[in-house]
Amino acid sequence: NCKKSNGNIHITNGTVTMKSTGSAGKGISADGEIVFGAVNAEGPVVDATTTGAKFLVSGHGENAEYANPKAIKCIGDLTSHSGTFTIRCTQDGGEGMESKDVLTINGGIYDIETYDDAINAANQVVINGGYIYCYSSGNDGIDSNGTLTVTGGIVIASGTNSPEEGFDCDRNTFSITGGVLIGTGGSSSTPTSSACSQRSVLYSASSATSGNLINIQDANGTNVFTYKLPRSYQTMTLLFSSADLKANTNYTIYTGGSISGGEDFHGYYTGAVYTPGTKTTTFTTSSMVTTIGSSGGGGGRPGH
């Protein structure tokens, strides 16, 4: 372990660089809670990387128990108020930010690329703000074994092929009341309609190609969503949620095409000019969660 505490770890500011190369190594680890930054503060610059492999503790096959590498891990709550985070875990079992209780992000900038879950919590994930990019090469983008709540921020979560998901909270409550959510994976948890005040779309495609654009626009040709896929999928489920999705409104989904100008946050374009490609389908937001095709199972309680 690069930085280990038997109690709590609070990192308010400064620059912290951790690289663990040992088997099942940890970048930052606490038996208590971990807190980054402070409210209305710039926060720390954190670079945490693990390159070591997992190792077998006991058992074999499906009953095997492994010790896994983790970039940032705590037994208690993990709370991040602010800061800039670059997190990498390159080996099987490697997770980015993990709490064995509640993980809360209130702000900051996060670039997380891992083999296993980029963000994981045992009881709850809460995202209230920030710019968050999660990419897992072998599992879920964001995984809560309990509930998942998003009230704000821009959150991009890319999981791998089925059964893995961009957003995964088993069949627990998935609440969306604000922010922009973009999730891609072989399937997805379904937002819980009764717990949401912001509309979502679950769009499934039989295949998807890395670098391809997906665009959603209303009947007037106004873009509400343009995203460049970060990887290819055998089958893909896309979850998109934004305040720009209005009630009882007709929308069209395009794939392909081209993009120019605007700003790009890990493939999510704002203020850009989109030249349409292939018209794929249309839908109407007549319910809080609109499902187009089959989402491939997985995830939250049925949206409707």
Side-chain angles (χ1 to χ4, degrees):
N1 297 324
C2 296
K3 187 176 185 64
K4 173 73 167 70
S5 171
N6 293 328
N8 303 325
I9 295 177
H10 290 197
I11 301 176
T12 305
N13 51 38
T15 299
V16 180
T17 302
M18 304 285 180
K19 183 175 183 179
S20 173
T21 59
S23 297
K26 311 294 189 292
I28 301 173
S29 178
D31 292 339
E33 68 174 15
I34 294 178
V35 178
F36 292 108
V39 178
N40 298 322
E42 184 174 339
V45 176
V46 178
D47 189 328
T49 301
T50 68
T51 59
K54 66 182 182 181
F55 67 82
L56 179 65
V57 175
S58 63
H60 58 86
E62 293 183 356
N63 297 319
E65 180 180 348
Y66 290 91
N68 294 308
K70 314 279 184 177
I72 300 172
K73 176 190 176 180
C74 62
I75 302 301
D77 293 346
L78 196 164
T79 304
S80 185
H81 297 292
S82 57
T84 302
F85 299 80
T86 303
I87 297 171
R88 300 287 185 268
C89 297
T90 61
Q91 297 292 324
D92 186 4
E95 292 188 325
M97 300 179 73
E98 182 191 51
S99 166
K100 293 299 185 182
D101 201 346
V102 177
L103 189 152
T104 303
I105 295 177
N106 294 319
I109 302 171
Y110 304 80
D111 183 346
I112 308 174
E113 295 185 9
T114 58
Y115 184 94
D116 214 296
D117 300 333
I119 288 178
N120 178 279
N123 292 326
Q124 187 178 24
V125 172
V126 180
I127 298 174
N128 297 316
Y131 292 80
I132 303 161
Y133 175 71
C134 296
Y135 182 100
S136 169
S137 60
N139 212 316
D140 300 318
I142 296 178
D143 181 8
S144 174
N145 295 327
T147 60
L148 175 56
T149 300
V150 180
T151 69
I154 296 176
V155 188
I156 299 175
S158 177
T160 189
N161 284 290
S162 183
E164 313 308 341
E165 306 173 344
F167 294 97
D168 181 10
C169 62
D170 300 322
R171 295 189 177 275
N172 299 303
T173 300
F174 184 2
S175 172
I176 303 173
T177 61
V180 174
L181 287 78
I182 304 167
T184 54
S187 59
S188 176
S189 286
T190 301
T192 309
S193 289
S194 60
C196 294
S197 59
Q198 178 171 287
R199 293 177 185 271
S200 303
V201 172
L202 278 168
Y203 166 65
S204 294
S206 58
S207 64
T209 303
S210 176
N212 201 25
L213 293 168
I214 297 180
N215 172 268
I216 300 175
Q217 53 186 258
D218 64 19
N220 296 319
T222 302
N223 292 332
V224 298
F225 172 69
T226 306
Y227 182 58
K228 181 183 288 186
L229 291 173
R231 71 174 98 201
S232 298
Y233 288 97
Q234 298 165 0
T235 59
M236 180 197 71
T237 296
L238 165 73
L239 169 65
F240 170 60
S241 180
S242 167
D244 290 337
L245 286 172
K246 305 302 182 184
N248 301 311
T249 301
N250 296 323
Y251 293 96
T252 300
I253 298 179
Y254 294 90
T255 58
S258 60
I259 196 83
S260 63
E263 296 184 357
D264 169 17
F265 177 70
H266 293 281
Y268 172 55
Y269 287 88
T270 55
V273 175
Y274 174 74
T275 301
T278 302
K279 180 178 177 180
T280 301
T281 189
T282 60
F283 66 92
T284 303
T285 49
S286 56
S287 57
M288 192 62 70
V289 181
T290 301
T291 300
I292 306 167
S294 172
S295 64
R301 297 188 180 100
H304 41 251

